[in-house]
């Protein structure tokens, strides 16, 4: 129950924020908001001993029981790591934002979105029910969209928000499909119950589909190649948002999904290949691109992409353990997963600190452009220290936590490369090479970040007096870098209490918790990993010194071939193509719309009859023919055909009248006196109306259509006529059921009338008559209005305005 | 008899379709009037034709023609009339406002 409360607190707080903002306008609203993450942190802290002991906490609230949807809050080791990050970094970010954002901003909006995001993120990591998880997942997308576009008067903010929304929501919906496929396979939405059935799922025909759908959702959210393009553009958000969402929490939601679904999907080889190599490609591509950035936040964004790729690839390597028996000799494979979790925490600490430091530089110097910054070391010593520690940790240098995770990453990569199984192609040998190359680039951009900003003499610094940030802004990054150093000193404490319970979540059938927790030591002798790190440093320094010489390669790739260019082009083309297709049929010409109607009628109705061979007719049951009927038919047919060729509209109207009167004579012949009466009167009035209108309408000009159109119209008309004839003849003697009309012959007994037609109209089916009267009424009111009421002057074109 | 009737209906439908595909408002309205004639005749034909007396009790015959299609046609005639009248006046108003009875010239905006 307390756990359930932890999700609710941010949402409740988000409700209160606008009230507080209205009623206490002088009060700094951020301090009030800070209660939420601290309360969540408190609740979580009380669970740490229980979770560290390998236990879990669960609370279920039935939401839509009939659909199997219940809000199941499930706290285990994995959700513990993420929720601690969310609430811990959340508290620090809010503390930072209190000082970062000026009180002129729309703070109530900002904190409301931020709390919504925090609650949604907690919901994602606590949910056991996939549908609820998906709901929270989309809420993170929406609140992230709102936060990116916080300065919505800027064009770049709106563009960035739209891009990230488009990509993450597309991924989210794909993931929803994956969840529904899983439900189809297992019959449950619960992740835990799905895991129980996991061992038999992997040869189900839907398995690969579900796997790819879920992975696309995770990859889009975690900015994996090629979906990473939204993250650099999302840097238009305020810096606290970038620090929180786009380095520490939201982008790790995809990591969480991969870790959470590993026990379900890892039995298939596809999972291993996809996760590992997409992660590695992202790692290399992200670090390669980070070097060319000139905006500090863009550099950090690409660095985030690359580090997320690193974590992702480690999770992929760790899933190999599902294909072997876990014992002391194979524990090296589960270690990859452990390193993923370890680096996840490390990355959140140093990347959060770096973002905050960059925010401080931006705030104090007024720019984040590397080309304009320089020589800030003496001006901003504390920020400098924070940046150096963060960057060194990012580059994987001792004595910081990044060093530990990088060494472990290398050893996992080496272990993966040495997997010697006939089923694995030698492509796994690439893993440590890619890891090593990416580490070199990581080292280079870390150097750029520090050297270009703080050392080199200033080039075009903005004309402001630069000084150190106020202490309030510095507290959060200082706390984060103290974690960076602290984790280096005591990595095993973190491992024992926080990380190792999560291993049980990822390997539920694996070995014991203690066995899967490696001992992390800073000094592990002269082994391959250490030589690799030394190689990284040496190669990195050389390449950094020679940077101006080889920077040209970044301009080699033509602009329209970049992923961004392709994305924009795809959007542009999608718009063009859809409007082109729409214009193909939305022509604005009534004739063409009617053509579509007739073609569909011919194709669907006529086609159906033709395909089913339903055309059949006989003349056996026909009524006898009299000569005067034949004459009447001949006259009507001739009148109809003549209408096509007359040049005067009055003649056409008269011919139409002939057909109408002919029809009334038919009614007489066919023993329908009431119809004959009505038809005579209506035909007379209609003819009069036509003639009346002609007084006001222009003379009937020849329909000046091209002869091709005329022939086309003729063909369509004849085809429609023939279809009607063929279908009518086929259904003419359809005698499967007896007619119900014998019932109406009791008209006198039931309704007291002798005229059956009239009793039907007035008694048996009087509703029809009533509504028919209404139709007449409406028509007459319409006629009256159209003639009497005019639009006021100037108001005649109020459409499309 | 029915076959001849249906062929006549086919002719009416053909002419009505051809009129509806034109671009002159009056031709289109005439086309719809013709189409409603055709439909009324079709309903009558599909019901039993000439299989008895007029559906008025008290006449000598023992069998009557089917009264239900007749009631349906009666309703349809009136509704068809109401719509025709409305559309005619609409054509008149359109001509007064736009100065044309040509549908191709009656396009509002380029977007449409």
């Amino acid at each position: 129950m307390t756990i359930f409360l932890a999700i609710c607190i941010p949402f409740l707080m988000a409700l209160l924020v606008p009230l507080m903002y209205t009623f206490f306008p002088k009060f700094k609203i951020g301090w009030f908001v800070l209660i939420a993450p601290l309360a969540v942190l408190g609740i979580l802290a009380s669970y740490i001993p229980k979770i560290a002991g390998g236990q879990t906490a669960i609370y279920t609230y039935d939401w839509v029981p009939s659909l199997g949807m219940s809000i199941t809050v499930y706290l285990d080791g994995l959700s513990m790591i993420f929720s601690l990050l969310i609430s811990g970094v959340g508290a620090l970010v809010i503390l930072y934002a209190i000082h970062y954002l000026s009180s002129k901003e729309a703070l109530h909006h900002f904190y409301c979105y931020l709390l919504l995001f925090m609650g949604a993120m907690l919901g994602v990591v606590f949910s056991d029910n996939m549908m609820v998880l998906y709901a929270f997942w989309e809420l993170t997308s929406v609140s992230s969209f709102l936060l990116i576009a916080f300065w919505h008067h800027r064009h770049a903010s709106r563009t960035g928000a739209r891009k990230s929304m488009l990509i993450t929501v597309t991924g989210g919906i794909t993931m929803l499909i994956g969840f529904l496929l899983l439900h189809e396979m297992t019959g449950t939405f619960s992740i835990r119950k799905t895991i129980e059935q996991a061992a038999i799922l992997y040869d189900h025909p839907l398995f690969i589909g579900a796997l790819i759908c879920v992975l696309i959702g995770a990859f889009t959210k975690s900015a994996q190649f090629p979906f990473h393009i939204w993250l650099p553009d999302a840097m238009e958000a305020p810096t606290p948002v970038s620090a929180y969402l786009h380095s520490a929490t939201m982008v790790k939601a995809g990591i969480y999904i991969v870790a959470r679904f590993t026990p379900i999907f890892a039995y298939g080889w596809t999972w291993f290949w996809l996760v590992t190599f997409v992660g590695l490609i992202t790692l290399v591509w992200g670090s390669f691109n980070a070097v060319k950035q000139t905006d500090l936040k863009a550099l950090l964004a690409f660095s985030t992409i690359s580090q997320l790729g690193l974590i992702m690839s480690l999770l992929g390597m760790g899933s190999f353990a599902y294909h072997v028996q876990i014992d002391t000799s194979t524990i090296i494979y589960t270690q990859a997963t452990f390193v993923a979790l370890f680096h996840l925490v490390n990355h959140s600490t140093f990347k959060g600190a770096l973002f905050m430091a960059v925010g401080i530089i931006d705030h104090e110097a007024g720019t984040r452009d590397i080309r304009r910054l320089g020589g800030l070391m003496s001006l901003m010593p504390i920020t400098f220290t924070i940046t150096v520690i963060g960057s060194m940790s990012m580059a994987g240098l001792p004595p910081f936590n990044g060093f530990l995770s990088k060494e472990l990453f290398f050893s996992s990569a080496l272990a993966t490369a040495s997997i010697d199984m006939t089923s694995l192609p030698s492509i796994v040998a690439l893993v440590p090479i890619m890891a090593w190359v990416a580490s070199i680039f990581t080292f280079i951009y870390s150097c750029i970040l520090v050297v270009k900003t703080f050392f080199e003499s200033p080039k075009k610094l903005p004309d402001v007096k630069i000084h150190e940030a106020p202490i309030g802004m510095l507290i959060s990054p200082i706390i984060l870098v103290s974690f960076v150093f602290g984790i280096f000193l005591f990595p095993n404490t973190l491992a024992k209490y926080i990380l190792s319970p999560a291993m049980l979540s990822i390997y539920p059938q694996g070995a014991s918790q203690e066995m899967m927790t490696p001992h992390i030591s800073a000094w592990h002798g002269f082994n391959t990993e250490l030589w690799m790190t030394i190689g990284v440093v040496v190669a990195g320094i050389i390449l950094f010194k020679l940077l101006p010489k080889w920077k040209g390669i970044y301009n080699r790739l033509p602009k329209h071939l970049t992923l961004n260019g392709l994305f924009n082009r795809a959007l542009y083309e999608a718009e063009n193509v859809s409007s082109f297709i729409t214009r193909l049929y939305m022509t604005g010409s009534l004739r063409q719309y009617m053509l579509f109607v007739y073609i569909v009628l011919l194709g669907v109705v006529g086609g159906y009859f033709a395909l089913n061979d339903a055309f059949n007719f006989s003349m056996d049951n026909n009524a006898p023919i009299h000569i005067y009927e034949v004459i009447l038919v001949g006259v009507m047919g001739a009148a109809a055909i003549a209408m096509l060729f007359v040049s005067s509209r009055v003649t056409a109207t008269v011919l139409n009248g002939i057909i109408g009167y002919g029809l009334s004579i038919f009614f007489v012949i066919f023993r329908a006196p009431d119809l004959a009466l009505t038809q005579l009167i209506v035909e007379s009035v209609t003819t009069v109306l036509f003639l009346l209108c002609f007084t006001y309408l222009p003379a009937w000009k020849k329909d000046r259509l091209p002869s091709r159109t005329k022939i086309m119209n003729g063909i369509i008309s004849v085809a429609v006529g023939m279809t009607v004839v063929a279908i009518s003849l086929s259904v003419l003697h359809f005698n499967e059921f007896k007619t119900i009309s014998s019932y109406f012959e009791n008209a006198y007994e039931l309704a007291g009338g002798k005229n059956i037609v009239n009793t039907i109209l007035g008694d048996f089916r009087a509703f029809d008559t009533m509504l028919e009267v209404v139709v007449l009424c409406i028509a007459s009111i319409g006629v009256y209005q159209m003639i009497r009421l005019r639009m006021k002057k100037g108001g005649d074109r109020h459409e499309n305005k | 008899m029915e076959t001849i009737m249906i062929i006549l209906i086919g002719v009416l439908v053909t002419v009505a379709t051809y009129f509806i595909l034109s671009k002159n408002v009056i031709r289109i309205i005439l086309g719809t009037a013709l189409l409603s004639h055709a439909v009324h005749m079709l309903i009558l034909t599909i019901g039993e034709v000439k299989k008895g007396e007029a559906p008025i009790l008290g006449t000598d015959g023992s069998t009557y023609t089917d009264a239900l299609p007749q009631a349906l046609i009666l309703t349809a005639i009136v509704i068809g009339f109401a719509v025709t009248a409305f559309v005619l006046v609409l054509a008149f108003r359109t001509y007064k406002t736009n100065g044309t009875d040509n549908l191709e010239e009656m396009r509002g905006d380029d977007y449409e």
Side-chain angles (χ1 to χ4, degrees), chain A residues 586-591 594-595 598 619 621-626 629 633 636-637 640-641 643-644 652 656 659-660 663 666-667 669-675 678-679 682-683 685-686 689-690 693-694 696-698 700-701 703-705 710 713-714 716-718 720-721 724-725 728-729 731-732 739-741 744-745 747-748 753-757 760-761 765 768 772 775-776 779 782-783 786-787 789-790 797 800, chain B residues 1-24 26-31 33-38 40-42 44-58 62-79 81-93 95-97 100-101 103-104 107-112:
Chain A
M586 295 297 287
T587 52
S589 154
L590 181 71
R591 184 184 158 259
M594 290 312 293
L595 267 185
Y598 285 127
M619 294 198 263
N621 287 329
N622 277 6
I625 309 174
H626 290 286
E629 292 162 3
V633 166
M636 284 171 75
I641 292 167
M643 272 174 87
L644 291 173
N656 182 45
I659 294 167
L663 186 58
F666 263 119
F667 288 148
I669 293 172
F670 290 156
R671 319 270 197 280
D674 303 286
L675 291 189
T678 318
Q679 178 66 30
V682 164
E683 197 53 45
V685 178
T686 311
L689 255 175
F690 265 107
C693 271
F694 288 160
Y696 300 98
L697 287 174
W700 193 348
K701 288 184 219 92
D703 227 3
R704 259 190 245 100
L705 290 169
K710 274 188 174 168
N713 286 356
I716 295 273
S717 314
V718 171
V720 168
V724 169
V725 168
S728 309
L729 285 175
V731 300
L732 187 60
T739 168
I740 58 166
S741 293
F744 296 118
E745 284 170 15
Y748 191 70
K754 289 191 173 174
N755 185 333
I756 303 178
V757 175
I760 292 176
L761 287 172
R765 298 174 56 91
D768 285 358
E772 166 199 336
V775 169
L776 265 183
V783 167
M786 269 195 295
I787 292 176
L789 301 181
R790 304 277 154 106
R797 283 185 52 80
N800 299 317
Chain B
M1 186 70 225
E2 280 92 334
T3 314
I4 300 177
M5 298 279 300
I6 285 176
I7 289 167
L8 175 60
I9 290 162
V11 172
L12 290 184
V13 168
T14 306
V15 175
T17 308
Y18 189 81
F19 270 36
I20 288 173
L21 288 176
S22 92
K23 46 183 194 180
N24 181 289
I26 291 297
R27 271 199 179 83
I28 291 171
I29 299 173
L30 268 174
L34 265 181
L35 197 59
S36 59
H37 284 151
H40 300 159
M41 198 181 277
L42 184 61
L44 192 75
T45 313
I46 296 284
E48 309 265 282
V49 170
K50 292 209 321 196
K51 291 277 167 71
E53 294 300 314
I56 295 172
L57 296 172
S62 51
T63 54
Y64 301 100
T65 49
D66 199 338
L68 194 56
Q70 297 192 10
L72 296 182
I73 295 169
L74 199 54
T75 313
I77 288 174
V78 176
I79 292 176
F81 167 68
V83 172
T84 307
F86 182 82
V87 173
L88 264 176
V89 178
L90 182 66
F92 157 71
R93 280 293 298 154
Y95 177 67
K96 282 275 145 191
T97 312
T100 178
D101 62 343
L103 275 175
E104 297 296 309
R107 300 194 182 184
D109 284 292
D110 295 340
Y111 295 108
E112 285 177 301

Side-chain angles (χ1 to χ4, degrees), chain A residues 2-230:
Chain A
T2 9
I3 278 303
F4 186 55
L5 207 62
I7 299 184
C8 299
I9 289 172
F11 291 117
L12 293 175
M13 213 65 142
L15 277 179
L16 290 177
V17 162
L19 291 179
M20 287 292 286
Y21 189 79
T22 317
F23 290 113
F24 302 98
K26 292 253 164 59
F27 180 69
K28 273 205 165 190
I29 191 84
W31 293 109
F32 171 72
V33 174
L34 197 55
I35 302 170
L38 291 179
V40 176
L41 209 53
I43 292 174
L44 289 172
S46 70
Y47 277 93
I48 289 179
K50 198 174 159 193
I51 302 296
Q55 287 173 286
T56 57
I58 190 160
Y59 173 78
T60 302
Y61 168 77
D62 274 339
W63 181 27
V64 193
S66 56
L67 293 179
M69 280 190 228
S70 55
I71 300 179
T72 304
V73 182
Y74 178 65
L75 177 63
D76 63 351
L78 191 60
S79 7
M80 183 55 118
I81 299 178
F82 281 88
S83 52
L84 280 175
L85 281 180
I86 293 161
S87 50
V89 181
L92 295 175
V93 161
I94 290 171
L95 189 64
Y96 178 74
I98 291 171
H99 300 278
Y100 184 85
L101 292 171
S102 87
S103 49
K104 285 185 209 113
E105 308 272 9
L107 288 178
H108 50 315
H109 289 178
F110 180 80
Y111 287 116
C112 199
Y113 302 156
L114 200 71
L115 284 170
L116 272 184
F117 172 78
M118 188 184 288
M121 204 57 212
L122 286 171
V124 166
V125 302
F126 282 145
S127 289
D128 179 54
N129 190 293
M130 292 181 209
M131 288 296 113
V132 179
L133 192 155
Y134 172 73
F136 282 121
W137 181 274
E138 290 299 6
L139 191 54
T140 61
S141 296
V142 172
S143 50
S144 154
F145 169 80
L146 292 170
L147 282 168
I148 296 170
F150 178 63
W151 288 316
H152 48 77
H153 50 272
R154 291 189 192 167
H155 181 255
S157 296
R158 297 195 303 268
T159 318
R162 192 185 60 187
K163 192 173 184 180
S164 74
M165 183 77 166
L166 201 58
I167 294 179
T168 53
V169 169
T170 308
I173 290 171
T174 316
M175 197 173 76
L176 176 68
I177 298 171
F179 288 168
L180 292 174
L181 288 177
L182 273 177
H183 181 261
E184 187 63 31
M185 285 187 270
T186 62
T188 174
F189 279 127
S190 161
I191 297 174
R192 281 174 307 132
K193 288 184 187 141
T194 309
I195 290 174
E196 283 163 18
Q197 306 179 29
I200 52 159
L201 280 184
Y202 69 94
D203 45 355
H204 194 283
L206 294 179
F207 180 79
I208 294 290
L211 184 153
I212 288 170
C213 285
V214 171
L215 265 188
I216 285 177
F219 286 168
T220 49
K221 199 74 150 183
S222 277
Q224 298 295 297
F225 188 88
F227 309 114
H228 63 270
I229 48 174
W230 66 267

Side-chain angles (χ1 to χ4, degrees), chain A residues 613-650:
Chain A
D613 210 13
F615 291 122
N616 69 311
F617 48 89
S618 67
M619 294 198 263
D620 299 345
N621 287 329
N622 277 6
I625 309 174
H626 290 286
I627 183 69
Y628 50 87
E629 292 162 3
V630 175
I631 292 171
L632 191 56
V633 166
V635 167
M636 284 171 75
I641 292 167
M643 272 174 87
L644 291 173
F645 300 103
V646 295
S647 53
S648 145
R649 56 195 186 171
V650 179

Side-chain angles (χ1 to χ4, degrees), chain A residues 272-273 276-277 280-281 283-284 313 317 409-410 412-419 425-438 532:
Chain A
F272 172 79
W273 290 113
T276 309
F277 278 92
L280 281 172
I281 291 167
L283 167 63
V284 175
S313 67
M317 295 175 204
F409 169 56
F410 282 154
S412 295
L414 288 169
T416 308
S418 67
I419 292 172
S426 55
I427 196 168
V428 288
L430 279 176
V431 172
I433 299 171
M434 289 170 88
W436 190 70
V437 171
M532 280 171 84

